Each structure stands twice: as C-alpha cells, then as structure tokens.
Amino acid sequence: MWVIPEDVLLAGALWITERANPYFILQRRKGHGDGGGGLAGLLVGTLDVVLDSSARMAPYRILYQTPDSLAYWIIAHGTSRKEITEHWEWLEHNLLQTLSIFENENDITTFVKGKVQGIIAEFNKNHDVKEDDDTDKFKEASSKFRKLFGMPEEEKLVNYYSCSYWKGKVPRQGWLYLSINHLCFYSYLLGKEVKLVVRWADITQLEKSATLLLPDGIKVSTRANQHVFSVFLNINETFKLAEQLANIAMRRLLDNKGFELDRSLPKLKKKSPKKVSALKRDLDARAKSERYRALFRLPKDEKLDGHTDCTLWTPFNKMHILGQMFVSTNYICFTSKEETLCSLIIPLREVTIVEKADSSNVLPSPLSISTKNRMTFLFANLKDRDFLVQRISDFLQQTTSKIYLERELNSSLNSSDDEVYSHPGSLLSCSPQQSLASEVERTFNLNDNSVPTASEALMTMYRRRSPEEFNPKLAKEFLKEQAWKNHFTEYGEGVCMYRTEKTKELVLKGIPESMRGELWLLFSGAINEMTTHPRYYEDLVEKSMGKYNLATEEIERDLHRSLPEHPAFQNEMGIAALRRVLTAYAFRNPNIGYCQAMNIVTSVLLLYAKEEEAFWLLVALCERMLPDYYNTRVVGALVDQGVFEELAREYVPQLYDCMQDLGVISTISLSWFLTLFLSVMPFESAVVVVDCFFYDGIKVIFQLALSVLHANIHQLLDCKDDGEAMTVLGRYLDSVTNKDSTLPPIPHLHSLLTDNGEPHPEVDIFKLVRSSYEKFGSIRADVIEQMRFKQRLRVIQTIEDTTKRNVVRTIVTETAFTIDELEELYVLFKAEHLTSCYWGGSSNPTERHDPSLPYLEQYRIDVEQFKGLFSLLFPWANGAHSDPLALRFFRLLDENGDSLINFRDFISGLGVLCHGDLTEKLKLLYKMHVLPGDVFMETLIYVGDSSVCLTVKKLSTPDYRHYLKLWNEETKPKRESTKDLPKLNQGQFIELCKTLYSMFSEDVAEQDLYHATATVTSLLLEMGEVGKLFTSCSRKDTSEEEKPEPKLCRRDLSDLKCARDAADLGDLEDSSPKETGTSSAMLISDDETKDDTSMSSYSVLSAGSHELDEKLQCEDIADDTVLVRSDDGRRPESERRSHPGDKRLPHSTSIDKDWAITFEQFLASVLTEQALVRYFEKPADLASRVTNAKNVRKVGRPLLSTSDYEISLSG
C-alpha cells in the first residue's frame, strides 16, 4: 500500500535490494521470502516477531531517492511480492518518464511526494477511510493476522499481545492474536515457526495459572490439548478480553443470541478498515455495561455512557460519602467506595431539575438533582462538571421526548372505539408505596368476563382473619410495617431511595406481608421495566390468548401442580392468573418458553403481587437474576451447581469429598436453586429466602445452601448412601419455620413424603439467614461471576459432547460407519456449520442453529456449506466440477424441502458412497437425476434392499400420518424398491450424461472411463428408442406416411464424427462404431434402420433433440452441433445455457417426451463396462479424507500456496 513519504536513515540495513532504477528502489527485508538470508535473515525474522516490528514494517518496500542525494523516502510497502510488484510497475509506467523532464532535484522530490499523497487521498476518498494516526498500524497488524492464519476478511481481530507459548518445556516468544472467533499464536525463532489456532467454541477451560516457574500465566484447555501462555505485559487485560470472547462463543452454542450479539459489533468492512482498538473499546464498553446493569438491576438494554468519582451528601447521617457516579441513557446511579455504605438509583424519567450549584472550599463543583417526589440529591467533587451536566441534559431531553410520545400514543389508544382495557389507575412508578396506599387498582378483564381475573395480589384476596387471630404475631407484623415506614421517611421511598446497610437489616428481619410484592418489584429492578412498558403485558396476553404450542401444553399440565395446598390455587381465579402470566412470558421469550419450576416461582409471585407485576418479576428473574436457568437444558442451574461445588470445596472442605462420593451436591442444588428453596422448605419460610434473594441476588442462595450443609455436617459425614443424605437434608429443611408468619399453616408437600422418623428440631428461618450472612457473607458477586464463567465453559462443552454422543448413538445402527468415524464426521459437520455462521452463508445462522430442537436438528447446513464438505469428504467430488453434483446430492437429501439438512441426512448420503455396493451407488446417482430441476423430491431414499426409510420430520407440517403410512409400506419385504423408481426422461438422461463425464474429469483412468461412458450412453439411447416402439404405436401409420430422408441420419452421424475429431477424443472408436455410413449401432441397429417406423423415430430424435445428442459422447454442449467437446478436450463446463434461447430449435421440440429408460436398464448397461464397474466399486479411503478435511477446515479455508505462505510468515 502507498504510505505518506517518510525519511529513511539507513536504506541498506537489514534490507536486500531486488530492483532499482535512477529514482526508485524495491527492497525485501532479510529473513523473508526465498533464500531466507542465512544467519542474518534468521536473526532479523526473529527480531521482527519478538519485537513486532513486522506490524509496522512490511517485508517489502519501495524507496524514493534522487540520483545525487543520499536521502531516502519510503513511499510504499507491501505484505506480498504481488502487491509490491503492482506498485513498482505503476511507478515505472506512469512516473519514470515524467521525472526525467525535471531539472531540479527538489522539484522531483516535491512532485513524487505530492503524487503519492494524492494517490493516498484518492484511495481514502473512494474507500471511505477516516484519517487516523493508528489506522495504518492496525490495518497492517490485522492483515498480518489474516495472512499468517489464512483468515478471511470477515474475521475481526480484536487485539494482540506479546507473550511466550510453552511448547513442551521450551518457551516460544511471539504474539497472541485474539479475534472474535479464534485464539491464535505465532512465533518465529531462528528459522523455527510455531502456529496455533484454537476456536473459542472448542475451549473447555480458560484460567489464570500461577506456579513457581510461571507466576503469571494463562492456561487454555480444549478437549485434546492444553496450551500455556506466559510473560504478558498486562495479563489482566489479556485474560479479561479472552474471557469475554470465550463467553460470546459459549452464548452462540447455547442459543441464537450470540450471533445477534456479534452483529452489534463494529464491522471491519473491506472498504472501510477500522482500528482494532475501536473493536476492543466496544467490547470493553459492553463488559462495563453488563457489570453496571448487574450492580443496579437495570434493564438489559441499558448502556453505560460513563462514570466519574464524586461525593454524595447523605442527609440521614449528615455526611459526604465518597463513591462513583454512573450515567447511562436512562439512569443516574451512585455507589459508595465502601460497598455496603450507600447506593442510589435515579431514573431520568423522575428527574425534574439538574443544576450546577455555587462552588466553595467545602463543596467544590457541586451538582444538584431534584426528582418528582421532592427529593434532592447533592453531588460534589465532580472533575468535569460542565461536560457531565451537558451529557445528563442530552439524555433528559431524549427521555422527555420518549415520555411525550408514549403519552400521545396512550391517549390515542384510550380514545379509540375498540378499547378493550380500562385504565382507572396509574402505573406503579418510583413510589410504589404511594400507589399501594391508594385504593385505586388498575383492573382489567380478559376472556370476555368468562373468568375472574386477579386485579390485586392473591394473598390479599384469600387471607382469612377472625377476631381471635389478633395476637402477638400480628403485633410484630405491625411493628415491621412501622419500621419500614420510618425507613422510607428517613431514606426516601420508591426507586430513588437511599439503599444502605439499614435497608439490608430490615430485609433480613423480614418484609411485611403487605409490602412484600412492591419491595420485590423495587429491589429486583422490575419496577423500571414495568414503568417504561405500559400496556405491554395486556397486549401480550391479548395476543397469546387462544394460541397453542408445546409451551402452552406443558403449562396446562403443570397449572394444578403449582402450590396446590394454597387456597388461592384451588379455584379458577388463581389458576387463570397463573395461566396468563406463564403463557404471556412464553410468547415474550420463545427461547425459554416454559420450563418446569417456573410455575412454582410464578405462583408465589402472584400471591404477593398483582398480575402484571408478577409478570415483570418473572421477566427479571428469568432474564437477569437467574440467567439461563429456565431454558430447555437448565444451563444456568447446572453452571451454578458447579459454582456451588467450588464454594463447598472452599468453605466446607471436610464435607466436600464425602458429598462428591455420595453424588448429593448435584441432586440437591438443582431443586434448591431452580425454585429458590420454595419446593423444599415450608412456604412461609421460603418466602423469606425470596425476600433476601430479590435484595442481594444469587449469593443469598449460595450462602443459605452452604449454611444448610454446615449445619448438618456431622450427620452427612455418617451417611452411607445418597438416599440417607437426602433424608437428613430433607428433614432439616422441613423443620425450618417462620414464627413471625401471620399466615395460617400450609401443609408442606415435601414433609408429607418423608418417612416417619424422628422430626428434626425446629430451625428459625431468620436465624438461619443471619447465620448464612455471618459465616459465608464474604462471598462476593464478582467472584461468583468469575466462577460462573469457568463453569459455563465446562457445562456447555459437556452438553455439546452429550449432544454428539446422542446423535452418534441414534444413527450408528443405520449406517456402516464406526462410532469413531461418526464422531470425527460430526466434528467436521459442526465445524462447517459454525464457520459459516461466523463468516456468512446463503442462509441466516439463527435459522440453521437452534439448540431448542432435538439433538439431530440442532446443527444443520445449507447448500453452500454442503458443497464445501462434499468437495472434501465425498468420493465423487472432483475439484472444479463438484458443485453441480453437490447441488443435486443436496437436493436429494433435503427431503422436507427447507433447504437445510441435518447430520443424519448427511451421513445417509456419505454412507452410500463409502460403504454402499455398486447397485446402491448407481441408484443414488440415478435418483439425483430423476428430480426435476425446480422440484424437491417427495419420495423416500432407499438404502439397498433393506428399504431403510430416511425421511426427516417436516418441521412446518404437523401431520405425520403420511410419513407413518409410508414407513409402514416401506417395511413390507415384498416391495421391490428398484421397481418403484420412476423412469428417466430424455432431459434427465442428458443431465445424467453430463454428470458422468464431469465425475471422471480428474480420474487416473479418465480415458477408459470416457470410452466406457460413450458405450453405455449409446446403449441406453438404443434402449430408449426400442422402448418408444411400445409407446408410439398409435403414430406408426403417420410415421410410415412421412418417410424421412435417410440423408438426415447420415448427416447427423457424420456431424458426430466431425465433433469427435475436433475434440481429439483419442481412440474413442475402440468402443463405438467406426463407420457411420454403414453402421448405425451407435443409436440403432441395422435392422431397425431398414424399418421406416424406427427410422422416423430416429430422425425425429436426431433433428429435434440436439440437447441429448450433444452430450452423448462429450462434456460440453454448443447450439450448432450434435456433439461438441470443450476446448481442453477434458474438462466440462458445469453450467450450460438453456435451449429456450436456441433460435434454430424451439424448446418444445428439443426433448422427446416418449423417450425413457428405467433404472434396471441403466444398471444393466453400466455392468457391461468393466471400467465403470471398477470406478463405482472402488473403496473409499475415509480416514485420509477426514484428516485432509481437518487440516483444510482448521481455520475455515484451504492453506495458502507455498510462495504466498513464505511471504506471509511475517506479513
């Protein structure tokens, strides 16, 4: 590429001059290209890699120098010889003669510099390149990365770091490249090169390793290998980035969101190169936003704009608290440096005034923010207050416009004639207690009043209080309510309240029954999503009513299993509310739909919150607080199970080994975590756990689980099996009581199932919770997230391995491949699928990849991906001519017509080619051509005489009876599959001939196969002509009356002879008639030639079926000859022009509709030629093909040629 001219001090140092003229010098850096440059070249190459000078210094360059000057300027450099040669030739052709005109050297120098700068400016203008100091450096680093590892332009390099890679016991200093889809390493030391490419999707473990020898290292583990990197300049930054990229890869394997996530990254387009650091900054910003949202429980789409250090005046203790202010598009948040001291969330929708107060020595750079509920927050010590105020003002303006638009929309909806819902009340805003105090309820009725609906929390509707119930418990409940009201008075209420250690203390003492739902909304952050999405739930319920799918069926099945012991769910009102909430969520998030345990949690939410509030609490639970818990494979719960095992190893080590031996941890953790202890603890006690969970997050569940284990440590150590251990824990949890509960006792289902042994002494829930905070409160949320990442890699890769085993186990009985071969093929199939998802394909990756489908359907490939695998693995692939055959093969395998095939389809086709006999292979070839060009096959694939049905379930068609009927018919032994194959018409026969010729174009026995094919096609044509005698008898008289000229036949045969000679087919006459004038055995016998009828048939064929004749003994087809070879006499063209464009011959007469052959005729004809029999019976060496495919597909594209490869080593 052309570069801005720069001075070069030593033109000859470390460079070799390859070309020169009076003004320009083309140089190659020592250690690159042919020859290597001996020891000096090895040293230079090593230094370039170690010091990364090659990122700034390409291996080729062009210098400018005037004849009488010693000063040099670099004007161009290149990563390959081809690129630099193009620049050199341009200079010679366009500048060299012009420069000889100038007399003054200064003028020449000025002219050359101006010309080069003009070229660069023109290029930047045409390619939309923004001026940037770092653009060139990062572009070259990215180019080097692609050259070294054969990556396409679509692969985006994020960053690269200097480090050492331990290959055996020897460290190799080099560079670690982190791209969106791969981790790569390159080292070149004294002539020895090391390359490593690992997909993020293949990594099973990524962790920092600290040993005496390597205090700062990163260990990367895959299923087959472990790689250790060390000597990083900034190991924390490197590890965090690697962690984030691995997380993106795991998300892709888990669901489709990963691919959508990747599309939100900046694209590195060919015409618009970006700085690598821009991509890195985007990933850093995304990570910060994720931490910000998790810290303050904000909606998933909230993006952090920035943060700054400041102080906050806290009126409750009259202090300035040091902390950080966070500003995002819709919120201003604050958290103190001392974690539990104070935190604050201010939604911009509640802000009324933002103003800069006067600075003073006591209060420098103060900022005052006032809200609608008359609270004022005073921040100070802001470093860049003016810029901060401007940003907040911009976001406020956007928020105001959003609110205005929503009001306009709501007013227009409310005024419409077809209004379904009534809105007497207002939505719960930042002051939920105020709305609770008001008796105005937001009610709506669905199902046309046929079912009563929950306009308030179910608990308030089913609480039965008698006069004698007013006892010390109610008095204690009243005192709790008063404590919370006093807290609101002192610390504020609603979203904008100051959250302090006092708030936590109140939560640990228990939230009052009357305030529980609203405080759950507040602490979970669900209040924000509900407020910003008015009418969302109502609209969702309306849309989902009356619609049925798998999720709704499962919901109906579980409705009556949700807290059946509670009176609220013993009648239709509670059941209907639960049905609406679960169904609405299933329609909101089809990736999750419905999962068991959601019904138990949702039923508890409905007891304490209104229907809409319960829905938003469920959203917060499933999508933010318990990520991936409730998908089809409960990945999140399995991840946290692994985290729990790690915590148990750390905090109760004496119990850990025993629990692992018994296998108890994996059993208990799923039920405890999925239902938040609601299914294993008495109801009135479990809701206290839910209180703490909504306030403090998942750490509460871990703390409580560890406390339960710790409390039963001695009994568990004495257990001899898992059943005994489960009994111990079950009795303990059954004994957990809430003595402050004002609810009537509800029988706990779990306790009813335990045996009649000695009951455990009662355990107070509040003491248990407080004990968990005292013993295990040191567990931090960020540590949990770190452990979750480690376990997520393990869990998802274990799921992938399970999927592979299940797929292989399912189809191993249907094919002759071994289990090992199937596993190898599955890995290649999956890799091809993922590669196309990374770098594009003919269909959307989110359509091809759906982990919610059955195992066999999770990975599917389209036709473009199939072509790639076909050329690598299938014995019939032959280089340049593989695509048309692959297309036909794909169309045959794609039985349901969705343009995607799964692994079973793929193996069924490959199995026939690798392990099928001659008949099966020919049957497959025949069936490929029976299909019309634009119609997908609807019949079944038969494999041999066993008539194995390979029909794949049509996803779009719910009726499977048709397939069951076909299956039943196919299993009948009396049915002959070969008889059921349709006949091959003339057009299909032409395509079959084309395929045969193209299949052999690169075979070692090419000529013999061509001769054999010529004989077979001639024989088949003869059979087809004979067959016409039985189908065209009605036209016999007409044929006799219209006696054709015999010259027509002889002309066509002489044309055939000419075509053969022109194409230089060689000794084709050995297998075909030599004298066209005396023998017509090529198409018709001597006796048939004398027959007028057959002569008529033949004449019609030769005159009107050029498309057939053109292909009989050659590969290529022209418009004006009967038989024509391609120019090279060997390679056929895969794509031909259609005959409708043929002006001499109308399409309607180009195909003889009466002409046809059967599969038996095709099979019999092929069996007459030994060369074809040998070809189709030749065994396939699958192992070598799989090995080659692994090497080629390692990074998604074939390896470079030798010359380019040498140049790219330091390019």
Side-chain angles (χ1 to χ4, degrees):
M1 60 180 290
W2 301 102
V3 296
I4 302 295
E6 294 180 7
D7 291 345
V8 176
L9 297 177
L10 297 173
L14 306 181
W15 291 86
I16 300 171
T17 299
E18 293 199 337
R19 296 189 189 181
N21 58 43
Y23 296 101
F24 302 105
I25 303 171
L26 190 155
Q27 294 183 326
R28 171 173 57 84
R29 192 159 177 82
K30 290 181 180 179
H32 298 275
D34 299 331
L39 180 60
L42 291 178
L43 291 172
V44 172
T46 301
L47 286 172
D48 282 350
V49 171
V50 173
L51 302 178
D52 193 36
S53 59
S54 56
R56 293 175 294 275
M57 195 175 297
Y60 296 91
R61 70 180 184 182
I62 297 176
L63 302 179
Y64 160 74
Q65 180 206 22
T66 53
D68 299 328
S69 172
L70 296 176
Y72 293 85
W73 287 270
I74 179 171
I75 60 173
H77 59 209
T79 55
S80 68
R81 188 182 298 275
K82 180 182 177 183
E83 180 185 6
I84 206 69
T85 301
E86 289 176 356
H87 289 349
W88 179 264
E89 291 175 350
W90 187 89
L91 290 171
E92 287 187 329
H93 294 149
N94 295 280
L95 278 191
L96 212 54
Q97 292 182 353
T98 307
L99 297 182
S100 61
I101 301 173
F102 290 93
E103 296 180 358
N104 189 335
E105 289 186 0
N106 291 334
D107 293 342
I108 297 176
T109 302
T110 303
F111 176 76
V112 171
K113 288 183 177 180
K115 191 69 175 176
V116 171
Q117 290 171 351
I119 293 172
I120 294 171
E122 185 66 24
F123 177 86
N124 291 345
K125 179 182 177 182
N126 294 337
H127 295 77
D128 191 28
V129 177
K130 297 177 182 178
E131 293 298 327
D132 200 318
D133 294 338
D134 293 325
T135 298
D136 288 347
K137 176 185 173 182
F138 280 111
K139 182 181 178 183
E140 287 177 23
S142 184
S143 175
K144 175 186 174 184
F145 161 72
R146 287 194 294 271
K147 285 273 187 180
L148 286 175
F149 304 104
M151 297 290 178
E153 290 284 341
E154 293 82 2
E155 184 67 2
K156 294 169 283 190
L157 179 67
V158 181
N159 212 347
Y160 63 110
Y161 302 92
S162 172
C163 69
S164 289
Y165 169 54
W166 287 80
K167 190 173 176 62
K169 295 183 179 180
V170 180
R172 299 299 186 105
Q173 185 66 26
W175 289 85
L176 183 69
Y177 294 87
L178 305 182
S179 69
I180 288 296
N181 303 306
H182 297 89
L183 176 150
C184 305
F185 177 83
Y186 179 76
S187 173
Y188 180 83
L189 292 176
L190 299 178
K192 291 197 175 182
E193 180 186 63
V194 175
K195 275 188 186 181
L196 176 69
V197 178
V198 180
R199 289 177 189 267
W200 292 116
D202 293 333
I203 291 177
T204 57
Q205 194 171 12
L206 180 68
E207 60 183 351
K208 289 183 184 178
S209 61
T211 62
L212 189 62
L213 183 63
L214 301 173
D216 288 325
I218 294 176
K219 185 167 73 172
V220 178
S221 302
T222 63
R223 291 176 178 84
N225 300 297
Q226 281 190 351
H227 309 285
V228 179
F229 303 91
S230 63
V231 197
F232 289 93
L233 294 176
N234 190 341
I235 187 171
N236 290 329
E237 179 189 335
T238 309
F239 184 74
K240 282 182 180 178
L241 180 58
E243 206 175 47
Q244 195 174 6
L245 293 169
N247 250 327
I248 291 176
M250 292 305 107
R251 173 60 59 183
R252 286 171 165 173
L253 293 178
L254 185 59
D255 56 33
N256 294 334
K257 292 180 182 177
F259 297 105
E260 297 165 5
L261 199 68
D262 182 47
R263 282 167 174 74
S264 70
L265 295 174
K267 293 292 183 182
L268 292 183
K269 298 179 181 177
K270 295 179 182 179
K271 294 185 178 180
S272 180
K274 304 281 185 184
K275 286 185 4 176
V276 174
S277 58
L279 187 54
K280 171 73 167 57
R281 282 201 305 270
D282 181 85
L283 286 169
D284 289 343
R286 179 184 294 173
K288 288 179 180 177
S289 291
E290 288 174 358
R291 289 193 293 270
Y292 167 66
R293 290 193 296 267
L295 181 61
F296 298 103
R297 309 276 173 80
L298 299 178
K300 292 177 69 176
D301 56 353
E302 193 66 17
K303 293 182 180 179
L304 178 65
D305 186 67
H307 58 89
T308 182
D309 291 336
C310 66
T311 58
L312 172 66
W313 170 253
T314 50
F316 51 86
N317 60 0
K318 307 294 188 295
M319 289 178 61
H320 291 282
I321 298 178
L322 182 64
Q324 275 193 320
M325 175 194 283
F326 299 83
V327 178
S328 60
T329 47
N330 298 293
Y331 298 87
I332 299 171
C333 301
F334 174 87
T335 184
S336 57
K337 291 288 186 183
E338 188 179 337
E339 190 174 355
T340 58
L341 199 56
C342 179
S343 66
L344 183 66
I345 301 171
I346 309 173
L348 291 182
R349 64 178 182 271
E350 299 296 327
V351 173
T352 55
I353 300 172
V354 177
E355 59 181 347
K356 293 181 283 188
D358 295 333
S359 294
S360 65
N361 293 332
V362 181
L363 208 62
S365 302
L367 178 67
S368 171
I369 298 177
S370 302
T371 61
K372 294 176 182 176
N373 60 347
R374 298 178 182 176
M375 292 182 71
T376 300
F377 305 95
L378 186 61
F379 299 91
N381 290 285
L382 293 162
K383 292 181 181 177
D384 197 350
R385 184 178 60 167
D386 293 341
F387 176 76
L388 182 65
V389 169
Q390 183 60 48
R391 293 300 293 165
I392 294 174
S393 300
D394 293 342
F395 291 137
L396 267 175
Q397 191 172 1
Q398 295 172 16
T399 304
T400 306
S401 61
K402 285 180 190 174
I403 293 173
Y404 177 76
L405 286 173
E406 286 175 3
R407 286 176 180 169
E408 287 290 316
L409 181 64
N410 286 335
S411 63
S412 64
L413 287 172
N414 291 336
S415 61
S416 60
D417 296 330
D418 58 345
E419 178 63 30
V420 181
Y421 309 109
S422 60
H423 304 271
S426 61
L427 278 173
L428 197 60
S429 64
C430 84
S431 303
Q433 289 70 29
Q434 291 178 358
S435 68
L436 176 73
S438 67
E439 294 299 324
V440 181
E441 298 288 353
R442 185 181 185 201
T443 61
F444 55 90
N445 204 330
L446 303 168
N447 298 340
D448 300 325
N449 296 319
S450 60
V451 178
T453 58
S455 58
E456 55 184 308
L458 294 179
M459 186 66 77
T460 61
M461 302 171 68
Y462 287 93
R463 179 179 293 169
R464 298 186 299 272
R465 274 184 180 166
S466 56
E468 60 270 16
E469 275 189 275
F470 289 95
N471 51 35
K473 286 187 177 181
L474 288 176
K476 197 167 186 179
E477 182 78 1
F478 176 76
L479 290 176
K480 283 184 183 179
E481 292 179 5
Q482 286 302 118
W484 275 98
K485 289 177 181 177
N486 293 337
H487 183 78
F488 295 147
T489 302
E490 187 176 359
Y491 293 89
E493 57 184 339
V495 181
C496 302
M497 68 184 286
Y498 294 97
R499 303 168 196 227
T500 66
E501 192 67 26
K502 182 76 179 296
T503 314
K504 181 178 175 181
E505 282 295 318
L506 286 175
V507 171
L508 294 184
K509 290 178 182 177
I511 297 177
E513 298 281 340
S514 59
M515 295 181 174
R516 181 163 274 141
E518 297 178 16
L519 288 175
W520 283 358
L521 275 174
L522 185 66
F523 295 141
S524 67
I527 179 75
N528 294 312
E529 289 163 305
M530 191 177 83
T531 306
T532 53
H533 293 82
R535 290 186 50 85
Y536 177 88
Y537 173 69
E538 298 175 23
D539 293 339
L540 204 56
V541 170
E542 187 178 23
K543 290 175 184 176
S544 62
M545 280 175 58
K547 295 185 180 177
Y548 299 95
N549 53 28
L550 184 60
T552 57
E553 291 177 13
E554 293 176 347
I555 289 169
E556 288 297 324
R557 188 173 63 242
D558 286 348
L559 282 176
H560 296 278
R561 305 176 189 171
S562 310
L563 290 187
E565 64 273 16
H566 198 285
F569 297 100
Q570 293 171 357
N571 62 69
E572 189 55 33
M573 177 176 284
I575 295 295
L578 183 60
R579 177 188 294 115
R580 285 191 295 273
V581 173
L582 291 174
T583 305
Y585 186 78
F587 275 82
R588 166 188 166 87
N589 191 344
N591 286 332
I592 291 178
Y594 170 76
C595 174
Q596 285 186 338
M598 286 174 68
N599 60 321
I600 297 174
V601 175
T602 307
S603 59
V604 174
L605 299 179
L606 280 167
L607 287 175
Y608 292 101
K610 301 174 190 176
E611 197 169 305
E612 183 181 17
E613 296 167 0
F615 169 78
W616 287 111
L617 281 168
L618 183 63
V619 169
L621 204 70
C622 295
E623 297 177 11
R624 288 191 287 106
M625 302 190 74
L626 296 175
D628 303 322
Y629 260 59
Y630 299 106
N631 57 26
T632 53
R633 295 179 283 186
V634 293
V635 172
L638 292 173
V639 168
D640 281 351
Q641 174 185 305
V643 173
F644 182 51
E645 289 184 9
E646 278 196 72
L647 292 172
R649 185 192 298 119
E650 181 179 350
Y651 287 97
V652 283
Q654 65 272 40
L655 186 61
Y656 175 75
D657 291 335
C658 171
M659 297 293 283
Q660 284 294 94
D661 293 339
L662 297 178
V664 174
I665 291 182
S666 59
T667 307
I668 60 176
S669 54
L670 277 180
S671 59
W672 292 2
F673 294 166
L674 276 171
T675 63
L676 303 176
F677 285 92
L678 288 166
S679 63
V680 295
M681 218 183 252
F683 172 77
E684 61 275 10
S685 302
V687 291
V688 177
V689 178
V690 179
D691 291 344
C692 299
F693 169 76
F694 277 125
Y695 183 80
D696 241 352
I698 191 64
K699 65 170 285 186
V700 172
I701 307 300
F702 287 123
Q703 290 173 187
L704 197 63
L706 289 171
S707 290
V708 172
L709 293 183
H710 190 269
N712 294 275
I713 190 167
H714 299 298
Q715 296 93 317
L716 290 171
L717 287 173
D718 294 335
C719 292
K720 297 178 177 59
D721 55 42
D722 58 339
E724 190 177 349
M726 292 300 295
T727 302
V728 168
L729 293 171
R731 282 179 178 168
Y732 180 84
L733 290 170
D734 286 339
S735 69
V736 178
T737 58
N738 180 358
K739 295 179 181 179
D740 294 347
S741 176
T742 60
L743 299 176
I746 299 172
H748 183 226
L749 187 60
H750 188 269
S751 64
L752 300 176
L753 301 177
T754 56
D755 58 21
N756 298 320
E758 281 290 324
H760 193 282
E762 287 188 352
V763 179
D764 185 70
I765 181 63
F766 297 107
K767 290 182 179 178
L768 180 62
V769 169
R770 191 165 293 280
S771 170
S772 73
Y773 270 92
E774 290 171 355
K775 292 177 181 175
F776 309 107
S778 59
I779 299 173
R780 293 169 53 87
D782 56 344
V783 174
I784 290 176
E785 284 305 315
Q786 183 67 41
M787 298 168 81
R788 274 179 166 177
F789 163 73
K790 178 181 175 181
Q791 295 298 327
R792 191 177 295 116
L793 287 178
R794 180 189 60 80
V795 167
I796 293 180
Q797 296 295 12
T798 301
I799 289 173
E800 290 294 307
D801 291 340
T802 303
T803 300
K804 179 175 73 173
R805 286 195 298 271
N806 287 333
V807 169
V808 169
R809 191 183 303 122
T810 301
I811 64 178
V812 70
T813 57
E814 304 172 6
T815 179
F817 290 117
T818 65
I819 290 179
D820 291 340
E821 287 175 333
L822 286 173
E823 289 185 348
E824 295 274 15
L825 291 169
Y826 180 85
V827 169
L828 285 171
F829 187 87
K830 173 184 167 183
E832 183 66 29
H833 163 89
L834 290 176
T835 298
S836 69
C837 290
Y838 298 159
W839 299 332
S842 59
S843 60
N844 192 324
T846 57
E847 296 173 1
R848 294 189 298 260
H849 181 66
D850 189 352
S852 64
L853 292 174
Y855 290 123
L856 276 169
E857 297 291 330
Q858 285 180 18
Y859 292 113
R860 294 176 291 173
I861 58 175
D862 60 22
V863 65
E864 292 302 320
Q865 298 164 276
F866 179 77
K867 286 178 182 178
L869 287 177
F870 183 86
S871 64
L872 292 170
L873 296 173
F874 284 65
W876 289 357
N878 55 7
H881 308 290
S882 296
D883 283 0
L885 185 59
L887 183 60
R888 288 183 175 279
F889 213 143
F890 180 86
R891 199 175 59 199
L892 182 66
L893 298 176
D894 179 26
E895 295 178 349
N896 60 355
D898 62 354
S899 299
L900 296 169
I901 63 170
N902 62 25
F903 186 62
R904 171 183 271 159
D905 303 331
F906 178 78
I907 289 299
S908 69
L910 183 61
V912 173
L913 266 59
C914 291
H915 298 290
D917 58 25
L918 175 69
T919 305
E920 291 172 337
K921 293 176 182 177
L922 290 176
K923 190 183 298 180
L924 197 65
L925 185 63
Y926 182 89
K927 288 166 71 78
M928 285 185 205
H929 297 82
V930 170
L931 290 172
D934 55 350
V935 179
F936 284 89
M937 180 179 173
E938 295 180 357
T939 57
L940 300 174
I941 299 179
Y942 297 89
V943 182
D945 295 330
S946 60
S947 300
V948 179
C949 173
L950 299 180
T951 300
V952 178
K953 178 175 65 177
K954 284 191 178 182
L955 299 176
S956 59
T957 308
D959 186 9
Y960 306 111
R961 289 173 294 181
H962 173 66
Y963 294 103
L964 293 174
K965 182 179 177 183
L966 289 175
W967 173 272
N968 185 45
E969 292 176 356
E970 293 308 319
T971 54
K972 295 178 182 177
K974 63 181 181 180
R975 184 163 181 168
E976 291 291 332
S977 59
T978 55
K979 299 288 184 184
D980 300 325
L981 292 175
K983 292 183 178 181
L984 206 66
N985 65 33
Q986 197 175 87
Q988 294 162 346
F989 176 66
I990 293 169
E991 296 302 321
L992 178 60
C993 295
K994 292 180 184 178
T995 299
L996 283 173
Y997 277 107
S998 64
M999 280 173 64
F1000 311 140
S1001 64
E1002 296 181 6
D1003 196 273
V1004 290
E1006 182 179 356
Q1007 287 300 319
D1008 292 341
L1009 289 168
Y1010 280 157
H1011 295 176
T1013 305
T1015 304
V1016 168
T1017 51
S1018 301
L1019 186 59
L1020 287 171
L1021 182 59
E1022 194 172 341
M1023 290 179 181
E1025 289 301 312
V1026 172
K1028 284 179 58 178
L1029 294 175
F1030 302 98
T1031 58
S1032 57
C1033 292
S1034 58
R1035 287 174 290 178
K1036 183 175 180 181
D1037 297 336
T1038 309
S1039 301
E1040 289 178 350
E1041 292 175 4
E1042 302 174 1
K1043 291 190 177 183
E1045 298 277 337
K1047 293 179 181 178
L1048 180 61
C1049 173
R1050 294 180 181 274
R1051 181 185 65 78
D1052 286 337
L1053 290 174
S1054 61
D1055 285 347
L1056 169 61
K1057 176 66 176 173
C1058 295
R1060 283 194 214 142
D1061 296 339
D1064 191 23
L1065 280 172
D1067 191 19
L1068 188 59
E1069 290 83 271
D1070 292 342
S1071 59
S1072 59
K1074 294 183 179 180
E1075 298 296 331
T1076 57
T1078 58
S1079 173
S1080 58
M1082 172 71 70
L1083 305 173
I1084 188 169
S1085 67
D1086 291 338
D1087 294 335
E1088 287 170 336
T1089 307
K1090 299 173 186 176
D1091 189 284
D1092 288 339
T1093 304
S1094 57
M1095 177 58 72
S1096 172
S1097 300
Y1098 170 69
S1099 301
V1100 171
L1101 173 66
S1102 59
S1105 300
H1106 288 267
E1107 186 177 7
L1108 174 64
D1109 292 342
E1110 287 162 13
K1111 194 59 192 174
L1112 288 182
Q1113 305 217 14
C1114 63
E1115 296 107 307
D1116 211 350
I1117 305 174
D1119 292 333
D1120 54 352
T1121 58
V1122 180
L1123 290 171
V1124 174
R1125 288 278 296 183
S1126 58
D1127 293 339
D1128 60 2
R1130 191 167 54 84
R1131 294 177 179 267
E1133 294 180 12
S1134 58
E1135 297 294 332
R1136 300 306 311 153
R1137 45 187 180 272
S1138 59
H1139 272 273
D1142 191 338
K1143 296 180 180 178
R1144 295 188 304 103
L1145 193 62
H1147 182 65
S1148 58
T1149 61
S1150 64
I1151 298 296
D1152 191 337
K1153 296 180 180 179
D1154 294 332
W1155 190 97
I1157 61 169
T1158 64
F1159 172 71
E1160 289 87 344
Q1161 292 171 330
F1162 173 63
L1163 176 62
S1165 303
V1166 171
L1167 290 174
T1168 62
E1169 290 297 324
Q1170 195 60 33
L1172 290 174
V1173 172
R1174 282 196 303 269
Y1175 177 84
F1176 285 106
E1177 286 187 339
K1178 182 169 59 179
D1181 183 10
L1182 183 66
S1184 63
R1185 289 178 176 272
V1186 168
T1187 302
N1188 177 60
K1190 283 182 179 178
N1191 294 332
V1192 172
R1193 289 302 185 200
K1194 187 177 292 183
V1195 293
R1197 57 164 46 187
L1199 293 175
L1200 302 169
S1201 64
T1202 306
S1203 58
D1204 287 338
Y1205 183 68
E1206 290 175 354
I1207 292 170
S1208 71
L1209 291 182
S1210 56

